[in-house]
Amino acid sequence: MARPCRSSSAAARLLLLLAAVAAALQAAAAAPPVASGFIRKSCRATQYPSVCEQSLAAYGGSPPPRSPRELARAALAVSADRARAASAYVGRLCGSRSGSGDGSPRRGAGAMKGSAAAGPVRDCLENLADSVGHLRDAAQEIGGAGMARAGTRAFRWHLSNVQTWCSAALTDENTCLDGLSSRAVDAATRAAVRGRVVEVAQVTSNALALVNKVGPGY
């Protein structure tokens, strides 16, 4: 009669083991992605290294970046995505229908229409739309065939274009932040928009630093 007891005990141990494995898998899935050694080392050259590591560790590109050029391209893609998301957020806030994902502001009847804050916030929206375009151009340029031959005049010209567009995007973001200091913008709106745009400006600053590390040997 002891055999059923042993069977029940074995089944219980198996259930406990399966529960432990499931818990471990769930914890692993919930844990934030870990940056590779290459990403961590490269991010030391940026102004916001922790932001750099977190954003690039979560980058969904495959295969993961393994060279300065690939890493710069990934950073530009991340920046463009963050700028597009911030643009959509600001668009919803001021009533524009720019939440379609392309970053371009389109007029709409919004909650801020007619308010004193509408002007500076809508200007910020247009700055962000410009930033999205510049970052998208930069990401395409650095991944294009024109940069295939390192050290050539064409390589240097294309890299200069990338640097110019990335710098322009950062200027757009800072212009947005400057406009939010207007007294016409209430404190709650300023805090909401500023939080999103500061995040974008940080990843763009990091992207520019990584672009500047792309040398002849990339």
Side-chain angles (χ1 to χ4, degrees):
M1 297 294 296
R3 189 170 300 172
C5 293
R6 287 197 296 270
S7 178
S8 299
S9 177
R13 287 197 298 271
L14 179 60
L15 288 174
L16 287 173
L17 179 60
L18 291 174
V21 170
L25 291 173
Q26 186 175 12
V34 178
S36 67
F38 171 64
I39 290 177
R40 289 196 300 272
K41 182 178 179 180
S42 300
C43 284
R44 292 173 193 164
T46 67
Q47 189 172 357
Y48 309 99
S50 61
V51 173
C52 177
E53 289 183 22
Q54 292 166 7
S55 62
L56 289 174
Y59 175 67
S62 180
R66 293 187 177 89
S67 71
R69 181 189 175 193
E70 291 175 356
L71 190 63
R73 185 182 185 185
L76 289 167
V78 167
S79 297
D81 286 345
R82 299 286 178 91
R84 189 163 45 246
S87 177
Y89 174 80
V90 176
R92 291 192 298 271
L93 193 65
C94 67
S96 155
R97 292 175 303 205
S98 67
S100 61
D102 63 356
S104 58
R106 289 177 288 176
R107 307 300 181 186
M112 296 185 103
K113 187 176 181 180
S115 72
V121 175
R122 196 169 292 282
D123 288 344
C124 176
L125 179 60
E126 293 177 355
N127 294 143
L128 289 173
D130 290 341
S131 176
V132 171
H134 292 317
L135 290 167
R136 186 179 294 158
D137 289 341
Q140 290 176 349
E141 186 86 351
I142 202 169
M147 293 189 65
R149 298 184 63 184
T152 63
R153 180 178 299 179
F155 172 87
R156 291 190 294 271
W157 183 77
H158 286 289
L159 181 60
S160 176
N161 288 342
V162 175
Q163 292 167 328
T164 298
W165 281 323
C166 193
S167 295
L170 189 57
T171 298
D172 291 328
E173 293 151 14
N174 286 326
T175 299
C176 166
L177 292 172
D178 291 341
L180 293 175
S181 62
S182 169
R183 292 184 179 180
V185 183
D186 63 274
T189 300
R190 182 184 301 113
V193 176
R194 182 178 175 80
R196 298 296 183 104
V197 180
V198 164
E199 179 186 356
V200 176
Q202 288 178 348
V203 293
T204 302
S205 171
N206 289 342
L208 181 57
L210 294 174
V211 166
N212 289 337
K213 287 293 183 181
V214 179
Y218 63 78

